[in-house]
Amino acid sequence: MLEYIESRETVFRLLAFFSLFGVMALAEWLFPKRLLTVKKAKRWFNNISLMMLNTLAVRLVFPIAAAGFAAWCASRGMGLFNLISVPIWVAIILSIVALDGIIWLQHRLFHKIPMLWRLHAVHHADKDLDVTSGARFHTLEILLSMVIKFFAIALLGAPAVAVILFEVILSGMALFNHSNVAIPTSIDRWLRVVVVTPDMHRIHHSVHRHESDTNFGFNLAIWDRLFHTYKDKPEEGHYAMAIGISSHREDKQVVWLPGLLTLPFKLFQRPPNKTKRSH
């Protein structure tokens, strides 16, 4: 099974992505959580166009995919799991958990460091959240994230199959927790013990910085609880809360593709987080 996944990486990843995209798009159409403020067709066209541009950029800049790089590291004995002897399933599980933790830390740094925040602001400037928001990132952020991922793979010596599974899980969970799906509170309460749910992650997209600087996780929910960045609910409630960046509300800046690509180079400053709130 593991060899089959490695040999069919592209097919496996595309099938998983588009299947999950379709399921979440249908779910948020049938059971929407919030009313959208921007026409869906306009947002989808630009968000998906950005996603396609990013995919092309990654293919051009990184001829070898992350899983291929993991195989290259293995052939040279680089990284922790290529230096110690552990069962393959242990290496896979620990690699996936470790990579998720590294992505959590990366996400937090992109909020903390001003130059990185400028890139990440493209993701946060979306005035609505739905399944397409999970793939809406500035091209330079995607490329920088790939560099960080390569360093993490080399350090861990993560098996190629673990890298494939992690990328599938990460992209799938991003589609899930950015979706505009109404999940019953009773179910959400149990889900968020393990994974990041839409209600949990929506708080992270609040216009208020003391809320957007919480719930950094994309996949496992443990990191925010462990590092005290977890917030249970938005202070204005899920239906009344405003999403996006308060200083960037015009469609030409935050909806259309040219505005998204140039947004990091505009002169703006993130408001200070003056008030500390309990999580």
Side-chain angles (χ1 to χ4, degrees):
M1 181 62 178
L2 298 182
E3 292 180 358
Y4 179 83
I5 292 175
E6 286 190 52
S7 63
R8 301 289 192 278
E9 176 193 357
T10 302
V11 174
F12 178 69
R13 290 183 58 186
L14 288 176
L15 181 61
F17 178 86
F18 286 110
S19 296
L20 288 167
F21 186 97
V23 168
M24 297 317 304
L26 178 62
E28 64 183 18
W29 177 65
L30 293 173
F31 310 105
K33 177 78 174 186
R34 290 165 45 102
L35 293 175
L36 301 180
T37 63
V38 181
K39 289 183 178 180
K40 179 176 284 191
K42 183 164 65 174
R43 285 185 58 259
W44 276 42
F45 174 78
N46 288 279
N47 286 355
I48 293 174
S49 294
L50 181 57
M51 179 186 72
M52 295 173 65
L53 175 63
N54 291 343
T55 301
L56 177 61
V58 169
R59 292 298 181 187
L60 291 175
V61 177
F62 298 96
I64 179 173
F69 181 68
W72 182 85
C73 290
S75 68
R76 286 160 178 75
M78 294 174 55
L80 177 64
F81 293 119
N82 292 317
L83 296 174
I84 63 175
S85 179
V86 296
I88 184 63
W89 64 270
V90 172
I92 290 173
I93 293 173
L94 292 180
S95 293
I96 291 173
V97 172
L99 287 169
D100 191 61
I102 291 169
I103 291 296
W104 179 91
L105 177 60
Q106 172 192 313
H107 191 183
R108 192 167 182 180
L109 290 175
F110 268 73
H111 277 250
K112 189 75 173 178
I113 301 173
M115 288 301 296
L116 298 181
W117 165 250
R118 284 177 170 268
L119 298 177
H120 191 57
V122 172
H123 180 63
H124 275 267
D126 206 347
K127 293 189 291 184
D128 290 319
L129 282 187
D130 66 18
V131 65
T132 65
S133 304
R136 171 185 154 132
F137 295 91
H138 194 276
T139 308
L140 293 179
E141 178 177 358
I142 291 294
L143 295 177
L144 181 56
S145 295
M146 284 296 295
V147 173
I148 295 171
K149 189 183 298 181
F150 274 39
F151 273 109
I153 291 169
L155 179 66
L156 291 170
V161 68
V163 174
I164 296 171
L165 291 173
F166 171 73
E167 292 194 317
V168 168
I169 293 169
L170 183 65
S171 62
M173 286 302 300
L175 297 177
F176 168 68
N177 56 47
H178 284 86
S179 65
N180 186 37
V181 175
I183 297 177
T185 304
S186 58
I187 297 177
D188 176 88
R189 185 183 302 116
W190 287 104
L191 280 177
R192 68 168 63 189
V193 172
V194 181
V195 298
V196 178
T197 65
D199 278 4
M200 179 178 167
H201 192 71
R202 189 178 300 109
I203 304 165
H204 179 72
H205 283 264
S206 167
V207 295
H208 303 303
R209 184 171 177 181
H210 66 269
E211 292 187 326
S212 66
D213 278 350
T214 65
N215 298 0
F216 293 99
F218 272 108
N219 184 15
L220 296 176
I222 186 176
W223 307 115
D224 286 299
R225 289 182 172 86
L226 187 62
F227 294 101
H228 308 291
T229 54
Y230 173 70
K231 189 172 182 63
D232 178 59
K233 56 187 176 181
E235 292 161 12
E236 296 170 349
H238 283 288
Y239 297 102
M241 68 177 289
I243 289 172
I245 300 176
S246 58
S247 60
H248 289 65
R249 309 302 291 175
E250 296 183 15
D251 284 1
K252 65 179 181 180
Q253 289 181 314
V254 301
V255 177
W256 294 103
L257 184 59
L260 299 180
L261 293 174
T262 57
L263 188 147
F265 310 105
K266 304 288 180 61
L267 292 177
F268 73 90
Q269 186 172 4
R270 196 177 184 205
N273 190 2
K274 294 181 180 179
T275 306
K276 292 183 178 181
R277 308 293 177 99
S278 61
H279 301 155

